[in-house]
Amino acid sequence: MDSQRNILLIALLFVSFLLYQQWTMDNAPQPQGQGVAQQVNNSGDVPSHSGDGQPITDQDTSDNLITINTDVLALTVDTLGGDVLEAKLLAYDNELDSEDPFVLLKNEAGHIFNAQSGLIGANGIDTTAGRAQLRVSADSFTLADGQDELRVPMTYSKDGIEYTKTYILKRGSYAVDVTYTINNTTDNAASVQMYAQLKQNLLDDGGNLAMPTYRGGAYSADDTKYEKYSFEDMQDKNLNLTIAQQGWAAMMQHYFVSAWIPRTDEATNLYTRTSNGLGYIGVRLPVTTIAPGSEQTLTSTLWVGPKLQDQMEATAPNLNLTVDYGWLWFIASPLHSLLSFIQGLVVNWGVAIIILTFIVRGAMYPLTKAQYTSMAKMRMLQPKLQAMRERLGDDRQRMSQEMMELYKKEKVNPLGGCLPILLQMPIFIALYWALMESVELRHAPFFAWIHDLSAQDPYYVLPLLMGVTMFLIQKMSPTTITDPMQQKIMTFMPVMFTFFFLWFPSGLVLYWLVSNIVTLIQQTLIYRSLEKQGLHSK
């Protein structure tokens, strides 16, 4: 197998991988109500029954909204129930060079995405009469300069029981603690159950062939560190799991994730459901009994922010796995860590990608050298193999036996040119996912016209250069291909790959371009060495 066939193998494997990714999304049944503005409630869809056994009725949002601002978050909270209707991520632009921050949670026509929480049960404040109208001391709360923590209490009283729902936000953090403190001043025991859920329109998975991304649910439970649960899955079957130890329920999309993490040592219920074109995923904490004259606090944490692995890992076990590297995570994760380390030194993510490419290709140099050496030896045997074919004709069994004897005598491994390529493929694919899943590359500039490494090259310069380098690799590589059809396929490969890469994020194209340049350098060095050994001839 010569280098052209190796390139073809890489191309076919890589393209087949991407086509399979897209096929699985394109052939999935589309959820009902997709893309249609839903006239639904935003505060009354409670996931259980009230104490009298009747389902909670739907209600519209109220006009009593408050804002909570930190250095990284701007939340809009409805005092009717205390749900988060909107979450702006102040450190992330909505679009490149936009003055508007990215909105993760939203309450817009056609796209509702809220983080809800409340109390149900015999003494819950979410009842058949509706959600509780919580009292607050102001309509705006801001984390002051020099202040590390902001607490926003919201109160409600009912039948001698005082309820305080408190949002606790910290500087620089996307993890928001939500607590319910229940002070039972009556002579009877009180029983409540806290729930926390995410609600979003049933949307498609999103993405495209060049960047297949996922939008939908995900969760972590005792026996499952990380599992996706798409909107289609929610429609097919309601999820109903018991978390004995630690877990979470999330809705994720490209670069960003929202998740509820229950803070309890007791068994928690994890569930999903759909209603009126909306999908829900959430957790129910265990039923809690508050003795007369006593007080208890229930807590869940809301993560609402970018997929920052270190911060998410510190917030909840396995939450960092929402940065989905697929089955090659054990390769992609170290590559991302190395990329981040390099970026910390050079500051520019594009330069970090270039350095990482040189490191990866340098580490694989022994494989590359073994590949070309094996190919050179195979080319030297071609005259003997051709003579053998002419002598033996259609006697395939004898032909196979004599070929094996020849390979053994000449100490040639016929698979020597293939195995290095197959070993390199997992690294290529893992690096592809590491670059694609890195929120750090979103709107990250490189230089000149490349203002966003997560977007395609606006002038297609990088893809065209990539195609040129691929063409040069073909021209430099000796070949024994004589079949006209194979020759046409190999000639067309750089054109096909260039067209395919036009829509790839420029960070990924940069990697492939630099990888090709390194290949050209390595080929030159290896061929010079082989020529000295008398193994290389065009």
Side-chain angles (χ1 to χ4, degrees), residues 107-379:
N107 204 55
E108 304 171 352
H111 192 182
I112 295 171
F113 187 12
N114 302 156
Q116 303 177 307
S117 56
L119 293 178
I120 53 179
N123 299 100
I125 55 178
D126 296 308
T127 69
T128 53
R131 306 288 299 280
Q133 181 63 63
L134 306 177
R135 298 186 298 271
V136 290
S137 60
D139 58 8
S140 180
F141 299 84
T142 301
L143 184 70
D145 293 339
Q147 185 180 3
D148 292 327
E149 182 179 277
L150 176 63
R151 288 177 173 262
V152 181
M154 312 170 74
T155 61
Y156 183 75
S157 298
K158 176 185 175 184
D159 299 331
I161 303 176
E162 298 174 356
Y163 305 85
T164 303
K165 181 176 187 177
T166 305
Y167 279 90
I168 305 172
L169 303 90
K170 296 182 179 180
R171 181 173 298 278
S173 177
Y174 296 95
V176 181
D177 288 334
V178 180
T179 68
Y180 273 96
T181 301
I182 302 99
N183 182 16
N184 183 10
T185 63
T186 70
D187 296 330
N188 302 311
S191 177
V192 298
Q193 184 178 23
M194 181 180 181
Y195 73 91
Q197 67 183 14
L198 297 162
K199 174 180 71 172
Q200 187 171 192
N201 292 92
L202 298 172
L203 305 172
D204 61 30
D205 283 347
N208 52 53
L209 180 59
M211 182 173 280
T213 59
Y214 173 78
R215 179 190 289 273
Y219 68 90
S220 179
D222 299 330
D223 57 349
T224 305
K225 291 184 177 181
Y226 164 72
E227 187 72 27
K228 292 179 182 177
Y229 207 77
S230 68
F231 291 127
E232 180 189 352
D233 293 330
M234 296 179 192
Q235 290 180 298
D236 289 342
K237 182 181 179 181
N238 288 335
L239 187 66
N240 186 14
L241 297 175
T242 298
I243 305 174
Q245 297 176 344
Q246 299 186 62
W248 43 261
M251 281 192 178
M252 48 190 283
Q253 61 196 67
H254 196 205
Y255 298 135
F256 303 100
V257 63
S258 300
W260 278 110
I261 304 107
R263 301 302 189 185
T264 177
D265 295 330
E266 301 181 50
T268 301
N269 175 246
L270 191 154
Y271 65 90
T272 67
R273 65 190 181 95
T274 59
S275 176
N276 297 326
L278 293 166
Y280 300 76
I281 187 168
V283 293
R284 296 186 189 91
L285 276 65
V287 175
T288 300
T289 300
I290 302 96
S294 66
E295 179 180 279
Q296 288 213 35
T297 298
L298 309 177
T299 304
S300 289
T301 298
L302 171 65
W303 174 275
V304 53
K307 294 180 181 178
L308 299 175
Q309 296 183 62
D310 292 342
Q311 289 193 33
M312 289 193 296
E313 188 175 14
T315 300
N318 306 317
L319 186 59
N320 60 304
L321 297 183
T322 56
V323 181
D324 193 350
Y325 294 136
W327 62 279
L328 290 172
W329 59 268
F330 56 93
I331 301 176
S333 184
L335 287 176
H336 177 270
S337 298
L338 178 58
L339 179 66
S340 299
F341 173 77
I342 297 171
Q343 194 277 337
L345 299 177
V346 300
V347 181
N348 187 295
W349 283 101
V351 175
I353 290 174
I354 293 174
I355 295 175
L356 178 66
T357 308
F358 272 91
I359 292 174
V360 171
R361 295 294 299 179
M364 292 192 297
Y365 179 75
L367 292 176
T368 304
K369 185 175 182 179
Q371 169 194 344
Y372 286 115
T373 302
S374 177
M375 288 159 44
K377 290 181 178 181
M378 285 295 294
R379 279 194 300 274

Side-chain angles (χ1 to χ4, degrees), residues 464-523:
L464 292 175
L465 290 176
M466 190 279 301
V468 170
T469 56
M470 190 173 181
F471 176 78
L472 292 175
I473 290 174
Q474 282 195 0
K475 285 298 182 182
M476 283 186 61
S477 302
T479 179
T480 59
I481 294 178
T482 58
D483 180 69
M485 181 58 68
Q486 291 189 33
Q487 289 179 345
K488 290 181 180 179
I489 292 176
M490 296 311 304
T491 302
F492 185 69
M493 279 300 299
V495 178
M496 187 188 76
F497 241 49
T498 299
F499 178 79
F500 188 70
F501 271 65
L502 292 177
W503 291 274
F504 263 56
S506 54
L508 296 175
V509 183
L510 177 64
Y511 162 72
W512 281 92
L513 170 60
V514 177
S515 182
N516 284 352
I517 294 173
V518 175
T519 298
L520 288 170
I521 296 172
Q522 291 180 340
Q523 274 189 334

